[in-house]
Amino acid sequence: MSSSSRLDDPEESFMTEVENFFNTAPPLKDHSVIEKKLKGFIERNSHASENGVSMKRIVCVTSGGTTVPLEQRCVRYIDNFSSGHRGAASTECFLKAGYAVIYLHRRGTCQPYCRSLPDDPLLECFESVNGSSVQVQQAQAEAVRKAIANHHAALAAGGLLKLQFTTIFEYLQLLKMIGIALRDRESRAMFYLAAAVSDFYVPWESLAEHKIQSAAGPLDMRLAQVPKMLSVLRKDWAPLAFCISFKLETDSHILLEKASTALKKYNVHAVVANELVTRKEEVTVVTTHGKTCIRREAGDDEMDRKENEKNTNTNL
Amino acid sequence: MSSSSRLDDPEESFMTEVENFFNTAPPLKDHSVIEKKLKGFIERNSHASENGVSMKRIVCVTSGGTTVPLEQRCVRYIDNFSSGHRGAASTECFLKAGYAVIYLHRRGTCQPYCRSLPDDPLLECFESVNGSSVQVQQAQAEAVRKAIANHHAALAAGGLLKLQFTTIFEYLQLLKMIGIALRDRESRAMFYLAAAVSDFYVPWESLAEHKIQSAAGPLDMRLAQVPKMLSVLRKDWAPLAFCISFKLETDSHILLEKASTALKKYNVHAVVANELVTRKEEVTVVTTHGKTCIRREAGDDEMDRKENEKNTNTNL
């Protein structure tokens, strides 16, 4: 009975899936602390004016990959590759353009203004002098100074709020909280969804409590699809916000078609299509008005050249 | 025919598995550069003397978790939770005790002498002064100075070699290279295997080339067991080296039994048994002479208290 009525109404069945996801997810730690911070940030930036308009625009930039735990007491998890460089770079641009930015990022990924620094700036950029004081190395001095100064200035100006996630459960609960909190901002809010969000997960209740044992031979796993929350963001959480999503594929043959499908299906304003290997050089922005391919000019950005070099080693 | 002969000889069948693993793994980038570095390090430390004995002891400390790619052009992978704090702390202790240390660690995990620092020391410990220079914050000054001074001193003294891995393929190829390179050092070499190594993987040839598509419903995955390379390390690569392995479980009921089984099965000198939730407070060292439980005294180490606080948020 219930399964036949579900089949009858895919919309209802989808909403049940969404509800199930949130009802069974492990609750967010510090939920109320984060919500208070978020509301304070939105409130303060509602009074700030921007270019003579009385309400500053707020963008939520998502960045980095989400994880999917394979055990409740989590030793193993599935992760999505993403350094967070695009989200960090975009955050810098939005701040420069006068937006207030909620930077919803994966713990430990790239921070705004730090893209040109080595992976481990403390050990690679600083030296100890006579064992008694610490000094930045000459060659890195300017990059380090800029990173720290710009980052602290952005935080001090009150236009940057950083929120962190690790799992898909944390990410989607935070996105929902931000969506609902920004609903009243209508078109003065934007979602810029650059995070690499898991498509598959193991529902919390189906997770093994303990570490999966390896003695029993090969491991068979069934992963369920994560409900496409972009639909819910567009329809329920913040329907009037401007919304840009990202599509990453490794196969260029299906990329643009998938981007066009996503544009219609989720009713977003733009989809940025990018291919894994060329993503730092070229993207295609797909809107209802058409497709625009954007290529980086040679020597465009010294910072990004350095990034590319760094990432060569972390990608298979 | 071939499958029946395999069943007849489990040893041969295991060695075939091991060979297959290495033959089908994506080859290590910079293989020859790393090998040259490693041999140079061993050579230099063979001439260094320690406490009047002419050949310095060398320990290979492994640290952090390995990943298992789920696609050849890797977007998704399975990861093993490990901050690398134990490996980093142990490296500091071995260096203090006069060993030369090969620190084989997961990219981006904890570095020796940096355990007490925040996750993002650059942005959390430094401030910019008048926008023109960079200064360490007073409260963190001593910790930062120590981290940089000790770390640079260890590298300058030539007793610390840092090698990095991300995937299980990189890790096992590096471990094999180090094992074989240390073979002649016999009992003046040690393996201290604190890394969280994947038990399951998808053989490279079975991996999907492209990103797995999510439209097709739930995802079924079959993961093969990673051959237990500890056997090969003990029998073939470096049979005379002293060898300590680690066993992490979430279920305390099976932990000690599994540690005892591992001790016999792999013929290692000691197994350090630890449970996920109490691992920073208590371990049991299992040897052929018995089991020794070691508990941290309250207030033992300020550094570790800070670590615990930090890790609370990253663990589910």
Side-chain angles (χ1 to χ4, degrees):
Chain A
M1 178 68 193
S2 97
S3 81
S4 81
S5 70
R6 279 193 181 188
L7 284 174
D8 289 347
D9 188 347
E11 176 71 9
E12 194 180 315
S13 140
F14 174 71
M15 289 315 294
T16 309
E17 256 182 72
V18 171
E19 265 173 48
N20 277 349
F21 181 91
F22 286 114
N23 289 341
T24 60
L28 214 52
K29 275 179 193 163
D30 305 325
H31 185 287
S32 56
V33 176
I34 297 171
E35 197 166 41
K36 202 175 155 192
K37 247 194 217 175
L38 175 65
K39 289 190 169 163
F41 180 81
I42 295 173
E43 180 65 19
R44 279 193 306 279
N45 282 290
S46 296
H47 295 306
S49 69
E50 175 204 347
N51 302 331
V53 180
S54 66
M55 200 188 264
K56 205 169 173 176
R57 290 169 299 179
I58 299 184
V59 59
C60 169
V61 174
T62 71
S63 185
T66 64
T67 69
V68 166
L70 296 177
E71 294 138 336
Q72 286 192 1
R73 303 193 191 185
C74 185
V75 177
R76 301 187 182 96
Y77 53 92
I78 298 181
D79 205 343
N80 282 261
F81 168 75
S82 171
S83 63
H85 282 102
R86 178 159 294 171
S90 304
T91 294
E92 297 169 24
C93 295
F94 279 120
L95 287 168
K96 200 172 170 187
Y99 285 75
V101 182
I102 299 165
Y103 185 52
L104 178 59
H105 66 285
R106 165 73 177 272
R107 276 188 190 85
T109 53
C110 188
Q111 295 300 305
Y113 307 112
C114 297
R115 290 176 293 137
S116 69
L117 299 177
D119 284 337
D120 195 343
L122 187 71
L123 297 179
E124 295 176 55
C125 301
F126 289 84
E127 55 199 1
S128 130
V129 185
N130 308 325
S132 68
S133 73
V134 159
Q135 185 175 292
V136 61
Q137 285 164 18
Q138 203 49 45
Q140 310 272 10
E142 189 51 20
V144 167
R145 188 196 63 73
K146 267 193 181 167
I148 294 174
N150 289 336
H151 191 267
H152 286 231
L155 287 174
L160 175 62
L161 176 68
K162 305 208 285 182
L163 298 178
Q164 300 187 316
F165 62 84
T166 301
T167 69
I168 181 76
F169 301 110
E170 292 172 336
Y171 172 79
L172 287 176
Q173 288 178 83
L174 287 166
L175 187 65
K176 180 180 179 180
M177 186 197 284
I178 297 167
I180 292 170
L182 285 178
R183 184 188 291 157
D184 295 341
R185 302 288 308 233
E186 302 185 347
S187 63
R188 302 291 290 168
M190 189 197 292
F191 285 84
Y192 181 90
L193 305 167
V197 181
S198 317
D199 291 313
F200 300 101
Y201 80 122
V202 187
W204 190 254
E205 293 171 325
S206 320
L207 280 179
E209 182 188 351
H210 287 296
K211 186 181 173 193
I212 299 164
Q213 295 301 312
S214 66
L219 176 66
D220 290 306
M221 277 197 310
R222 164 157 283 205
L223 300 172
Q225 277 189 267
V226 175
K228 301 288 183 193
M229 296 293 182
L230 188 46
S231 295
V232 195
L233 173 65
R234 292 292 300 138
K235 282 187 198 157
D236 294 346
W237 300 339
L240 297 177
F242 193 85
C243 193
I244 300 171
S245 75
F246 286 73
K247 188 57 106 184
L248 172 76
E249 293 291 342
T250 61
D251 184 350
S252 59
H253 296 98
I254 61 170
L255 176 61
L256 290 183
E257 196 194 313
K258 291 206 73 171
S260 298
T261 307
L263 185 79
K264 288 183 210 115
K265 189 170 169 190
Y266 304 115
N267 186 31
V268 291
H269 298 86
V271 177
V272 182
N274 53 129
E275 203 193 322
L276 186 65
V277 284
T278 59
R279 71 191 189 286
K280 305 254 172 167
E281 302 307 321
E282 182 181 318
V283 297
T284 302
V285 179
V286 181
T287 69
T288 50
H289 305 299
K291 300 180 174 71
T292 312
C293 180
I294 299 165
R295 277 195 197 85
R296 181 197 301 288
E297 298 298 316
D300 238 9
D301 191 338
E302 170 69 1
M303 214 172 245
D304 291 297
R305 194 186 53 72
K306 286 192 186 158
E307 267 172 53
N308 281 337
E309 282 169 12
K310 279 204 306 190
N311 288 325
T312 314
N313 287 323
T314 54
N315 225 330
L316 275 171
Chain B
M1 179 70 195
S2 98
S3 81
S4 82
S5 70
R6 279 192 179 189
L7 284 174
D8 289 345
D9 188 349
E11 176 70 10
E12 194 180 316
S13 140
F14 173 71
M15 289 314 294
T16 309
E17 258 182 68
V18 170
E19 265 173 50
N20 277 347
F21 180 92
F22 286 114
N23 290 341
T24 60
L28 214 51
K29 275 180 194 161
D30 305 325
H31 186 286
S32 55
V33 176
I34 298 171
E35 197 165 42
K36 202 175 153 191
K37 247 194 217 174
L38 174 65
K39 288 189 170 165
F41 180 81
I42 295 173
E43 180 64 21
R44 279 193 306 280
N45 281 290
S46 295
H47 295 306
S49 70
E50 175 205 345
N51 302 332
V53 180
S54 65
M55 198 188 265
K56 205 168 173 177
R57 290 169 299 179
I58 299 185
V59 58
C60 170
V61 174
T62 71
S63 185
T66 64
T67 69
V68 166
L70 296 178
E71 293 137 336
Q72 285 193 2
R73 302 193 191 186
C74 186
V75 178
R76 302 186 182 98
Y77 53 92
I78 298 181
D79 205 343
N80 282 261
F81 168 75
S82 171
S83 63
H85 282 101
R86 178 158 296 171
S90 304
T91 294
E92 296 168 24
C93 295
F94 278 120
L95 287 168
K96 200 172 170 189
Y99 284 74
V101 182
I102 300 165
Y103 185 52
L104 177 60
H105 66 284
R106 164 73 177 272
R107 278 189 188 84
T109 52
C110 188
Q111 295 301 304
Y113 307 111
C114 297
R115 290 175 293 136
S116 70
L117 299 177
D119 284 336
D120 195 343
L122 188 71
L123 298 179
E124 296 177 55
C125 301
F126 288 84
E127 55 200 0
S128 129
V129 185
N130 308 324
S132 68
S133 73
V134 159
Q135 185 175 290
V136 61
Q137 285 164 17
Q138 204 50 46
Q140 310 272 10
E142 188 51 20
V144 167
R145 189 196 62 73
K146 269 193 180 167
I148 294 173
N150 288 336
H151 191 269
H152 287 231
L155 287 174
L160 174 61
L161 175 68
K162 305 208 284 182
L163 298 178
Q164 301 188 314
F165 62 85
T166 301
T167 68
I168 181 77
F169 301 110
E170 292 172 336
Y171 172 78
L172 287 176
Q173 288 178 84
L174 287 166
L175 186 66
K176 180 180 179 181
M177 186 196 285
I178 297 166
I180 292 171
L182 285 178
R183 184 188 292 157
D184 294 342
R185 302 289 308 235
E186 303 184 347
S187 63
R188 301 292 289 169
M190 188 197 292
F191 286 83
Y192 181 90
L193 305 167
V197 181
S198 318
D199 291 313
F200 300 102
Y201 81 122
V202 188
W204 189 253
E205 293 170 326
S206 321
L207 280 178
E209 183 188 351
H210 287 296
K211 186 180 173 193
I212 300 163
Q213 295 300 314
S214 66
L219 176 65
D220 289 306
M221 277 197 310
R222 164 157 283 204
L223 300 172
Q225 277 189 268
V226 175
K228 301 288 184 193
M229 297 291 182
L230 189 46
S231 295
V232 195
L233 173 65
R234 293 292 298 139
K235 283 185 198 157
D236 295 346
W237 300 339
L240 297 176
F242 193 85
C243 193
I244 300 173
S245 75
F246 286 73
K247 187 57 107 181
L248 172 75
E249 293 291 341
T250 61
D251 184 350
S252 60
H253 297 98
I254 61 170
L255 176 61
L256 290 183
E257 195 194 316
K258 291 206 71 170
S260 298
T261 307
L263 185 78
K264 287 182 210 116
K265 189 169 169 191
Y266 304 115
N267 186 30
V268 292
H269 299 85
V271 177
V272 182
N274 53 129
E275 203 193 320
L276 186 65
V277 284
T278 59
R279 71 191 190 286
K280 305 255 172 167
E281 302 307 320
E282 181 181 316
V283 298
T284 302
V285 180
V286 181
T287 68
T288 50
H289 305 298
K291 300 180 174 72
T292 312
C293 180
I294 299 165
R295 279 194 196 85
R296 181 197 301 288
E297 298 297 315
D300 239 9
D301 191 338
E302 170 69 1
M303 214 172 245
D304 292 295
R305 193 186 54 71
K306 286 192 185 158
E307 268 172 51
N308 281 337
E309 282 169 10
K310 279 203 306 191
N311 287 324
T312 314
N313 287 322
T314 53
N315 224 331
L316 273 169

